[in-house]
Amino acid sequence: MTDTAASGPSSFADFGLHPDILKAVVATGYTIPTPIQAQAIPVVTSGRDVMGAAQTGTGKTAAFTLPILHRLMPLANNSASPARHPVRALILTPTRELADQVADNVKRYSQFTPLRAAVVFGGVDIGPQKEEVRRGCEVLIATPGRLLDHVEQKTINLGQVGMLVLDEADRMLDMGFLPDLERIIRLLPQQRQTLLFSATFSNEIRKLARSYLTQPVEIEVAARNATADTVSQIAYKLSGDAKRAAVVHLVKSRGLKQVIVFSNTKIGTARLARQLERDGVRAESIHGDKTQADRMKALEAFKAGELEVLVATDVAARGLDVAGVPCVINYDLPYNAEDYVHRIGRTGRAGATGEAIALFAPEEERFLLDVEKLIKREIPRGQLDLPASLLASSRGERERPVRSHGARGERGERGERHRYELPAKPVDDFFFRPYVPATGAEPARTEAPPVPPRTSAKRPLAVLLGGGKKD
DNA sequence: AAAAAAC
């Protein structure tokens, strides 16, 4: 812990930032730096490495973007030659949306300078990115995979990068980006400033920091894993069936706009959005199986206030910054308690008040208890009175029971609903072959071993052959 | 267990 928090500058003008950058800050309407900005800006400006733990929505992006631009100003020139604009600062993010958003910020803060910024990420045509990069950029924002693609195609050279930012580093590790990160870092000069931001300081993160940071200044603004005080939290216990009705009721009865509803699965996300639309709620879904164009379209519509609800997987749990999201609903409780913190961090941002509502089925209560343990506070349980009309339609439309395979005994007494049940996907006919006991008398079968359900197709061969380790 | 990310 550092104890410099209280004594930070009380105005952006106190940082000594280059006037052209300060001008953009003023134009954006910022006056008082947030705690992370107050702490990080002087340290980054001084050239030191930083290991920062900050709640999302605390102004983290500006906290590293502003001093980076400031430090690049002596290198800025108005030349039209791409050769005069090599990449000097590289910002890596785990998701495409976050990269895009950080790029928007960098472009805004550099609008009055000759500095140029570009962004590259996957899922979209690489051609325009090549063109943008070819024109030259001092600041490059990227997701790791597409960046390596560019490097291999020699459209991007990282040999002049003097500043590296790893944003949402814990998420990048979770997503298996470590090998990509290592490859990218090997392409950078040894002599550089490195900033690592992470929601948590896990052992893996500390190890990463030991490998790539030099005597970093540790900055931590909020107690780790704490939730913002400005977010009120409540949890409603509901059967799985009633959840959808609850979302409709909450949105309609209170006239909510711009609600993010989190679901655990891509399929569940898409299905819920469709059902909400049928119930007269303007809703779109965003998840990783959608094309990048659709993801952007949904996000834009949401930002523009055209949607009442954005139904999202955890693709949207971290980093997304939509001004003024008043309410986040956890339609499913996340398997990892930490994801709860990230999800509800979408509301109550930058000091605004927000509300986080959790809808949990009885069998999900243990996840709620995990969350309470992590955030070290109790989430009050509420009672939600749903109109009968909503509940009825919720039942009628149900094509198959949700979680009917749950191990709970009381499911039996509602057996009538099982008649609606149809498997979502065709089941491999292996499961329907008669069971043959493996007696000695049995003729030797030379049949290939059954292929497990298709999800295993991506597993290493060794696992398929039974040689893989299972832990 | 699920999600994300290069083609």
Side-chain angles (χ1 to χ4, degrees), chain A residues 229-251:
Chain A
D229 291 332
T230 50
V231 178
S232 69
Q233 300 179 62
I234 190 159
Y236 299 110
K237 188 190 275 191
L238 295 163
S239 78
D241 286 6
K243 284 184 175 184
R244 198 191 91 249
V247 173
V248 176
H249 178 65
L250 286 164
V251 170

Side-chain angles (χ1 to χ4, degrees), chain A residues 6-30:
Chain A
S7 57
S10 56
S11 156
F12 276 101
D14 299 342
F15 291 123
L17 293 169
H18 189 284
D20 290 351
I21 296 167
L22 191 60
K23 191 174 159 191
V25 173
V26 172
T28 308
Y30 288 170

Side-chain angles (χ1 to χ4, degrees), chain A residues 124-171:
Chain A
V124 294
D125 194 358
I126 200 169
Q129 294 178 355
K130 287 181 176 173
E131 183 50 34
E132 188 183 14
V133 164
R134 199 196 54 77
R135 288 195 295 265
C137 56
E138 283 83 3
V139 184
L140 181 68
I141 303 97
T143 49
R146 178 57 68 90
L147 175 62
L148 286 168
D149 200 351
H150 278 282
V151 169
E152 277 161 21
Q153 298 192 39
K154 305 231 185 295
T155 49
I156 289 177
N157 183 319
L158 300 176
Q160 299 293 311
V161 170
M163 282 179 268
L164 170 68
V165 180
L166 304 175
D167 197 12
E168 306 275 353
D170 50 344
R171 179 90 191 271

